Amino acid sequence: MKRHRLFLLLVAGAAVVLTALVPAARRERETARQEYAAAREERERLRARLADLGRRTYEEDRATAADGVSAARALRHAIIRATDGLAVSGVEISVSVAPRSAIAARGHFAAEGRFTEVLRLARRLADSSSGLLLGRVSLGAARGAVRIEADTFILREGA
C-alpha cells in the first residue's frame, strides 16, 4: 500500500507541476517569439533604411558638377575628405575651373607624411567613390617624410 500511495503522490505532484508551470512557460515562449519577430522586422526595416542612406550618401559624395564653381568646390571637398583622419601635413590644394570642356575643374594636390599614411591617402584619392580622376601622381622624399603630389580633375556632368 505504501508504494501505491507514493505512486499517487508522485502523479499528483506531476499534475500540479504541469498545471502550474507549463502554461506559464508557454506564455513566456509566445511572448519571446513575438518579441523576436518584432526585433527581426525592425532589423530588416533598419537594414533597408541604411542601404537607402548609403546609396544617397554615395550619390551625394560623388564629385561631379554641372558648372565650374560647384566642380571646384566638389574637388576641394573630395580631397579634404580623403585626408580626413590621416596624419599628413603641409596639405596644398589649388583648383582651377575649365570652361567649355569635358573637364569641369582641375586641381593640384600636395601633402607630406609617413610613407604608410601617404599610401593610404593615394588609395583614397584613387578610389572610385571619391569621384576624382587622377592625371599624375608622384611620391618623393621631403624633410624626413614622403611627399605626394597629384593632378586631379572632375568631369562635367553629362560629358
Side-chain angles (χ1 to χ4, degrees):
M1 193 71 172
K2 288 184 178 182
R3 288 184 180 173
H4 184 62
R5 284 186 184 172
L6 181 62
F7 176 74
L8 287 177
L9 184 63
L10 287 175
V11 169
V16 169
V17 167
L18 281 174
T19 58
L21 298 179
V22 170
R26 285 185 180 160
R27 282 191 301 272
E28 189 176 320
R29 183 188 67 194
E30 271 310 306
T31 303
R33 281 184 179 171
Q34 290 171 353
E35 288 174 1
Y36 177 74
R40 188 175 55 231
E41 288 173 9
E42 178 71 9
R43 182 191 69 202
E44 291 303 318
R45 187 183 64 76
L46 289 174
R47 185 177 288 165
R49 181 154 188 245
L50 181 63
D52 182 49
L53 288 174
R55 281 190 299 274
R56 286 183 189 176
T57 302
Y58 177 74
E59 290 170 1
E60 290 170 3
D61 286 348
R62 296 261 333 174
T64 58
D67 63 357
V69 174
S70 60
R73 187 179 309 118
L75 193 141
R76 272 191 226 99
H77 182 69
I79 292 172
I80 291 170
R81 195 173 53 246
T83 62
D84 190 35
L86 295 178
V88 292
S89 61
V91 177
E92 301 170 9
I93 303 171
S94 62
V95 177
S96 62
V97 176
R100 297 187 202 109
S101 77
I103 295 174
R106 295 179 187 275
H108 181 77
F109 166 75
E112 296 176 4
R114 292 188 347 240
F115 184 70
T116 55
E117 296 293 309
V118 169
L119 286 182
R120 284 186 186 121
L121 177 59
R123 187 176 352 150
R124 287 182 183 181
L125 289 171
D127 190 8
S128 63
S129 67
S130 74
L132 298 176
L133 296 173
L134 299 176
R136 179 188 61 87
V137 177
S138 64
L139 299 174
R143 293 172 274 171
V146 176
R147 181 174 174 86
I148 182 172
E149 291 190 29
D151 291 331
T152 62
F153 58 95
I154 292 180
L155 296 177
R156 190 173 306 280
E157 286 181 356

